[in-house]
Amino acid sequence: MTPFEASRITEALCRRAPVIPVLVIEDAAQARPLAKALVAGGLPVLEVTLRTPAALEAIHEMSRVGGGTVGAGTLITPKDVAAAKAAGAQFGVSPGATATLVQAAADEEMPLLPGAATASEAMALAERGYTMQKFFPAEAIGGVAALKSLAGPLPHIRFCPTGGVTPANAGSYLALSNTLCVGGSWVAPAELVRRGDWAAITELARAAAALPGKPAEYVA
């Protein structure tokens, strides 16, 4: 899979809903009902971060939920990519990008949403063919103002900002011409997950899905 092909796929995923839930799952038994709740609320693209021992099993469980597309976040090494692919992840997300990681994703035929924090990083990824990127850590590196500044000189690059995105600022990000969706954890609060309050999570997802996203179409 070429970087261009990967970006076409991840761009299509980013257009499916205005928010991609960023999930840290401690108990894999909660993965499937959590995925069902989020999909029912209108958020079909899910990112499970590889930050817990349960993450790979959670990806496996979520991959069996109809209507959803599950990916693996916090990919750092080629081993992470291979393990995520084996668990059933349909795409990957990384906080940054190295040549080794990018090559591993290509070797595994895994669409990658690579992270960039500066204009130079974004340009280097776009030069390789990755025109759909994660902007991370969004709020810590300037937030909406920083991302808006990149739109002028780099109009061909599109982003999914993640890191500090909340219901209060998500709309400001989504209003930018170079932002297709945002990544956020607020749609699945840890306390609601622990209680198994899937109805409440579905309502949070429904509110997030109602944010003004971009049309579900490819852009060359």
Side-chain angles (χ1 to χ4, degrees):
M1 177 178 295
T2 68
F4 175 77
E5 291 168 336
S7 277
R8 295 274 289 185
I9 293 170
T10 54
E11 180 172 332
L13 291 173
C14 286
R15 288 180 181 275
R16 289 186 66 189
V19 179
I20 294 179
V22 179
L23 308 170
V24 180
I25 299 177
E26 302 287 348
D27 182 357
Q30 297 172 320
R32 203 182 303 191
L34 173 58
K36 289 180 178 179
L38 292 167
V39 172
L43 300 182
V45 182
L46 314 173
E47 176 191 339
V48 177
T49 62
L50 299 189
R51 301 180 191 175
T52 69
L56 292 174
E57 186 179 351
I59 289 171
H60 174 70
E61 290 298 320
M62 286 186 165
S63 69
R64 301 163 69 182
V65 173
T69 301
V70 62
T74 322
L75 297 182
I76 306 294
T77 68
K79 183 179 178 181
D80 293 335
V81 176
K85 181 67 178 291
Q90 295 167 273
F91 67 97
V93 184
S94 61
T98 65
T100 302
L101 182 67
V102 167
Q103 186 59 53
D107 292 343
E108 290 287 345
E109 294 287 306
M110 175 176 282
L112 180 68
L113 183 64
T118 67
S120 293
E121 291 174 357
M123 289 167 62
L125 283 168
E127 193 174 77
R128 297 189 66 154
Y130 287 100
T131 54
M132 184 69 225
Q133 303 173 15
K134 173 179 176 176
F135 185 65
F136 177 82
E139 282 293 286
I141 55 178
V144 171
L147 196 50
K148 183 178 181 180
S149 296
L150 293 178
L154 305 174
H156 58 299
I157 304 176
R158 294 172 176 83
F159 295 95
C160 170
T162 304
V165 181
T166 68
N169 61 23
S172 297
Y173 280 105
L174 290 166
L176 299 177
S177 62
N178 60 346
T179 298
L180 296 189
C181 67
V182 299
S185 59
W186 79 85
V187 293
E191 180 57 30
L192 292 183
V193 174
R194 278 195 295 269
R195 295 205 312 258
D197 194 342
W198 311 124
I201 289 173
T202 293
E203 287 306 309
L204 289 174
R206 189 167 287 124
L211 290 168
K214 301 298 192 292
E217 61 185 21
Y218 285 126
V219 174

